[in-house]
C-alpha cells in the first residue's frame, strides 16, 4: 500500500490560529477590536497558513510528477521526457558516492543501466512525502529487472549475462525549484544489486 505523508494539514493550523486569536482577544477583554500587535500576529499566522496551503499544492504536484517519471518515463526509457522533471544543469548524487552534472550526462547513465537489463523498471512507490513547501520530496521505490544482455565494463570487455533477476528497494530525494528538480540523490544497496544479478563476491 502506498503511503503519502504531508506536513501538518492547513485545516489544523487554521483551527490553531482561530483559537490563538480568540484566546488573546478574550484575555484582553476587548471583543470588538484587535490591537495593532495582535493584528500583526494574525497577519503573520495568515501568511504561514498560506505558505502551507500553497506548499501542499506544490508538494502533491511534484509527487505526481515523480510517479510519472519512475512508472512511465524511466520504466519505458522515454528519455526525451526527462526534461519534464529535471533541470538542464541537474546535479545527481549516486549510491556509490560520485555525482554528475547536467541532464545529458544523467540520461546517458540511465541508458547504461538498460544495456544489460533492458526490462529494468520501477512500478511502485511505497512511501512518498516532502516538506511543507514542496521544495523537497522523498520517494521510495522498488527497482527490478533481469540481467539478460552483456554488461560493458570498458576496453571492449563485457560480463556475460547470468539471466538472474534483481529486486531492490531504493530511494530518491529530490530538490525542486520552479517545478523542476535541480538536484537528485539516489540511494540503493549496490552490493545487493550485484549479488542478485550473480556478480557479487
Amino acid at each position: 500500500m502506498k503511503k503519502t505523508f504531508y506536513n501538518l494539514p492547513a485545516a489544523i493550523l487554521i483551527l490553531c490560529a482561530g483559537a490563538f486569536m480568540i484566546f488573546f482577544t478574550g484575555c484582553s477583554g476587548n471583543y470588538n477590536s484587535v490591537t495593532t500587535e495582535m493584528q500583526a500576529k494574525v497577519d503573520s499566522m495568515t501568511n504561514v497558513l498560506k505558505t502551507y496551503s500553497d506548499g501542499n499544492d506544490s508538494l502533491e504536484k511534484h509527487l505526481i510528477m515523480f510517479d510519472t517519471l519512475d512508472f512511465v518515463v524511466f520504466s519505458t526509457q522515454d528519455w526525451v521526457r526527462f526534461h519534464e522533471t529535471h533541470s538542464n544543469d541537474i546535479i545527481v548524487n549516486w549510491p556509490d558516492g560520485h555525482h554528475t552534472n547536467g541532464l545529458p550526462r544523467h540520461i546517458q547513465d540511465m541508458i547504461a543501466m538498460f544495456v544489460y537489463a533492458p526490462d529494468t523498471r520501477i512500478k511502485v512507490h511505497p512511501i512518498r512525502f516532502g516538506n511543507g513547501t514542496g521544495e523537497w520530496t522523498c520517494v521510495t521505490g522498488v527497482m527490478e529487472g533481469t540481467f539478460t544482455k552483456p554488461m560493458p565494463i570498458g576496453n571492449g570487455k563485457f560480463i556475460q549475462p547470468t539471466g538472474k533477476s534483481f529486486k531492490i528497494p531504493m530511494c530518491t530525494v529530490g530538490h525542486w525549484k520552479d517545478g523542476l528538480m535541480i538536484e537528485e540523490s539516489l540511494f540503493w544497496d549496490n552490493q545487493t544489486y550485484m549479488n542478485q544479478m550473480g556478480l557479487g563476491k
Side-chain angles (χ1 to χ4, degrees):
M1 179 182 292
K2 179 172 69 176
K3 300 178 182 178
T4 302
F5 301 97
Y6 298 98
N7 284 3
L8 191 63
I12 296 177
L13 289 174
I14 292 172
L15 291 175
C16 292
F20 177 79
M21 185 172 178
I22 292 171
F23 174 77
F24 277 97
T25 303
C27 287
S28 67
N30 186 349
Y31 294 93
N32 298 317
S33 64
V34 177
T35 66
T36 301
E37 180 181 0
M38 185 62 203
Q39 185 61 53
K41 291 178 180 178
V42 171
D43 291 343
S44 176
M45 181 61 72
T46 300
N47 290 334
V48 170
L49 291 173
K50 185 176 186 307
T51 298
Y52 271 90
S53 177
D54 293 345
N56 280 336
D57 291 341
S58 294
L59 175 58
E60 180 59 21
K61 178 182 177 181
H62 293 162
L63 290 173
I64 290 172
M65 290 172 69
F66 203 87
D67 286 346
T68 301
L69 170 65
D70 272 358
F71 302 161
V72 179
V73 180
F74 174 80
S75 296
T76 64
Q77 305 177 60
D78 193 358
W79 310 121
V80 296
R81 294 186 61 188
F82 257 52
H83 72 277
E84 295 176 7
T85 48
H86 294 69
S87 68
N88 286 329
D89 56 354
I90 188 168
I91 297 171
V92 181
N93 303 296
W94 286 81
D96 63 2
H98 86 281
H99 75 272
T100 61
N101 295 289
L103 183 56
R105 173 59 191 274
H106 185 41
I107 291 175
Q108 289 176 8
D109 289 339
M110 294 291 98
I111 291 173
M113 296 177 66
F114 286 81
V115 170
Y116 54 88
D119 65 339
T120 297
R121 61 201 178 274
I122 300 170
K123 291 298 184 182
V124 294
H125 285 158
I127 302 172
R128 53 203 291 277
F129 64 97
N131 72 332
T133 62
E135 181 183 1
W136 293 91
T137 57
C138 182
V139 176
T140 67
V142 178
M143 184 168 66
E144 54 187 315
T146 313
F147 182 17
T148 57
K149 300 291 183 181
M151 178 187 292
I153 56 174
N155 298 320
K157 297 181 179 180
F158 296 85
I159 298 175
Q160 294 304 312
T162 62
K164 293 188 175 182
S165 298
F166 58 88
K167 187 174 184 178
I168 59 172
M170 51 86 67
C171 177
T172 304
V173 176
H175 186 191
W176 299 75
K177 182 178 180 181
D178 299 327
L180 295 173
M181 276 190 291
I182 58 174
E183 186 168 6
E184 184 178 22
S185 296
L186 306 171
F187 300 93
W188 64 73
D189 186 341
N190 269 329
Q191 186 63 57
T192 299
Y193 182 45
M194 292 296 166
N195 286 347
Q196 290 187 10
M197 287 192 291
L199 303 178
K201 295 182 179 179

